[in-house]
Each structure stands twice: as structure tokens, then as C-alpha cells.
């Protein structure tokens, strides 16, 4: 037969002790827990919502026209460096619009939709949102374009 060693025996004893502690906690009442309340008790306290006030909430994806980020390195798509028709191949502004399209803007201001990129690519490569801008020009100025 099998010989059980001392470590196995100690492990099983520790498991039994842990199970008994867990069982004890399910049977005991919670400390400082309110008792049963009668139906004719005083009216309930005002319920405070668990959400931030509207001034502190970040806009949702539906509240903004899109997101933008800088892409300073050469943009490689499908194993080739993407270049604008003006010859620029770095310092892009990448836009992810509400309709899930991705647009690129070169430093000269030429904009084009890039169908080989999608929202998933944008989310993988962008950092957290740090500013919200009321206009496109404000956002471009913030990103240095």
C-alpha cells in the first residue's frame, strides 16, 4: 500500500482546519450588521448614487468625434513604410473616428483614410487619453501640428 509521510498528514490537517474556519464564518452573524428591520420602521435614508458628478466624468466614445495621437516613427503597414504623396513618412497624426475609421495626417496637412488600420490597431498603439479638446485645431496644436 501507500505510505503517507508526515508532510502529507500536516497538509491534510491544515486543509481540515481551514475548512472548519470557513464553515464557522458562514454560521456566525456579521459584526456590526444591522438586525432585521420591521416593515413599519422609519423611512429609508436617501440613496446616494455611486457615480461621479457629471463635471468629473470623462466623455464617453459617443460624446466625442474621435481620438488622435502622434506617431513620430515611420509608420509600417503590411511590412512597408507608409508615405504620403508629398514624401513625408514620419511625424503622423493618427485619427480614430467615431465610425471606427482611421485617418492619417502628415506634417504638411494632407489627410487620407487608411483602410488597413482599424480601431483595434489604434487601441493597441495609443496611450491613455490625457486631454479633451473642443475643436480639431486645438487638438492639432496640442500635438504640435
Amino acid at each position: 500500500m501507500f505510505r503517507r509521510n508526515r508532510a502529507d498528514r500536516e497538509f491534510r490537517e491544515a486543509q481540515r482546519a481551514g475548512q472548519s474556519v470557513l464553515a464557522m464564518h458562514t454560521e456566525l452573524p456579521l459584526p456590526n450588521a444591522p438586525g432585521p428591520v420591521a416593515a413599519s420602521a422609519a423611512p429609508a435614508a436617501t440613496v446616494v448614487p455611486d457615480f461621479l458628478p457629471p463635471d468629473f466624468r470623462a466623455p464617453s466614445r459617443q460624446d466625442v468625434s474621435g481620438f488622435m495621437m502622434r506617431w513620430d516613427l515611420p509608420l509600417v503597414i503590411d511590412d512597408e513604410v507608409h508615405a504620403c504623396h508629398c514624401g513625408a513618412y514620419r511625424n503622423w497624426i493618427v485619427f480614430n473616428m467615431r465610425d471606427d475609421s482611421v485617418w492619417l495626417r502628415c506634417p504638411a496637412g494632407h489627410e487620407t483614410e487608411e483602410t488597413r488600420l482599424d480601431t483595434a490597431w489604434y487601441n493597441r498603439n495609443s496611450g491613455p487619453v490625457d486631454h479633451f479638446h473642443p475643436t480639431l485645431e486645438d487638438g492639432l496644436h496640442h500635438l504640435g501640428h
Side-chain angles (χ1 to χ4, degrees), residues 5-19:
N5 61 17
R6 184 174 150 199
D8 288 340
R9 210 173 20 255
E10 290 174 354
F11 177 73
R12 286 192 182 81
E13 288 173 5
Q15 278 186 322
R16 284 189 207 106
Q19 291 296 330

Side-chain angles (χ1 to χ4, degrees), residues 69-76 89-94 104 121 125-126:
M69 70 172 174
R70 288 181 61 116
W71 190 272
D72 293 330
L73 300 173
L75 183 60
V76 179
Y89 65 95
R90 56 176 48 213
N91 298 328
W92 298 97
I93 299 292
V94 182
L104 301 175
W121 178 90
N125 292 288
S126 66

Side-chain angles (χ1 to χ4, degrees), residues 50-51 77 118:
D50 195 23
F51 297 107
I77 304 171
D118 58 0

